[in-house]
Amino acid sequence: MRYLIIGFLTLLFACNRPYYKMAKNYPHVPPYSTNAIPDYANLNDWAAHPYKKDPADSVPRPLSNGFQPDSTADVFFIHPTTYTEKERSFGWNAPINHTKLNAKTDYSTILYQASIFNAAGRIFAPRYRQAHLSAYFPKNSADSLHAMAAFQEAYSDVKAAFEYYLQHWNHGRPIIIASHSQGSTHAIRLLKEFFDGKFLQQQLVVAYVVGMPVGCPTSI
């Protein structure tokens, strides 16, 4: 059993190491703060954006010859939880400008999930003050209150990013909503607030809301 645990920890740290190596390539930012509010006019506060080079632009080598990205639609991608460390060292919400966490996000979910949409449209994936993974597993009533507040703070960032995107970059283009895990928790709220029965619903092509239960109407 001891060797199994050692092997698991070795694999865990080995998987994290590449993210940390990539962090040194990120722009210098002031010391991170859990109170920092994202500025979506700043491209550094987007994990993926059509006006910068990022891992969402990646194309598998066998598909790269003759690859033609389609920019007729926009993909608003909300990434899953990457703030998963056991210690919860940043509190219930992750800071927006922690380079190692951002590198982990970019070279995991953005590279391997968001990039699949780059043939379908321009990809916009905001950084946000994501809730810690433990927010899904509160141990008591106090934890439940902290978790609800953490999800609310995270959603407020996602909402702000989407509003900024609509005001500055959409210009009436078709929209695809894509998300996974915690991203889908926020995508469900976003769809209800901005699309359900709203004028913007006419621009919605499809919503890929993966990893969370989605309610269905009782009758069609």
Side-chain angles (χ1 to χ4, degrees):
M1 176 62 72
R2 183 180 65 178
Y3 294 109
L4 181 62
I5 294 173
I6 292 173
F8 174 77
L9 291 175
T10 301
L11 178 62
L12 179 64
F13 287 117
C15 290
N16 280 331
R17 198 173 296 123
Y19 305 138
Y20 295 158
K21 287 182 179 179
M22 298 305 298
K24 66 182 181 182
N25 298 324
Y26 282 57
H28 174 74
V29 295
Y32 68 85
S33 168
T34 54
N35 297 321
I37 298 174
D39 173 12
Y40 292 112
N42 183 348
L43 296 187
N44 290 331
D45 286 351
W46 293 84
H49 195 286
Y51 296 161
K52 73 174 187 177
K53 182 69 175 176
D54 55 67
D57 299 325
S58 299
V59 178
R61 186 172 298 173
L63 304 178
S64 60
N65 289 335
F67 176 77
Q68 294 290 331
D70 187 346
S71 61
T72 57
D74 289 342
V75 180
F76 192 83
F77 180 83
I78 311 172
H79 70 74
T81 309
T82 55
Y83 178 29
T84 58
E85 60 182 47
K86 184 177 180 180
E87 295 79 8
R88 204 165 63 207
S89 57
F90 306 131
W92 285 90
N93 291 85
I96 197 72
N97 59 353
H98 191 275
T99 54
K100 288 183 179 179
L101 183 58
N102 288 347
K104 179 182 178 182
T105 299
D106 295 355
Y107 288 93
S108 58
T109 174
I110 300 301
L111 177 61
Y112 296 115
Q113 294 179 331
S115 67
I116 68 172
F117 295 99
N118 62 21
R122 306 185 304 174
I123 300 176
F124 295 82
R127 302 198 189 284
Y128 63 96
R129 290 170 293 176
Q130 57 180 294
H132 187 269
L133 180 64
S134 63
Y136 283 105
F137 310 100
K139 297 179 179 179
N140 50 52
S141 57
D143 278 1
S144 295
L145 291 175
H146 286 302
M148 287 189 291
F151 284 126
Q152 178 58 40
E153 182 170 290
Y155 177 70
S156 70
D157 287 352
V158 172
K159 177 181 176 180
F162 188 68
E163 289 177 329
Y164 193 90
Y165 153 76
L166 286 177
Q167 293 169 8
H168 294 87
W169 295 308
N170 176 258
H171 304 303
R173 295 162 58 88
I175 301 171
I176 297 170
I177 300 294
S179 59
H180 180 223
S181 188
Q182 181 175 162
S184 293
T185 296
H186 306 312
I188 292 168
R189 290 187 64 180
L190 196 76
L191 288 164
K192 289 179 178 178
E193 185 168 353
F194 287 88
F195 293 92
D196 282 2
K198 310 292 195 318
F199 181 80
L200 196 61
Q201 187 171 346
Q202 300 178 48
Q203 291 175 232
L204 182 64
V205 178
V206 66
Y208 295 100
V209 183
V210 180
M212 286 291 162
V214 179
C216 296
T218 55
S219 61
I220 299 177

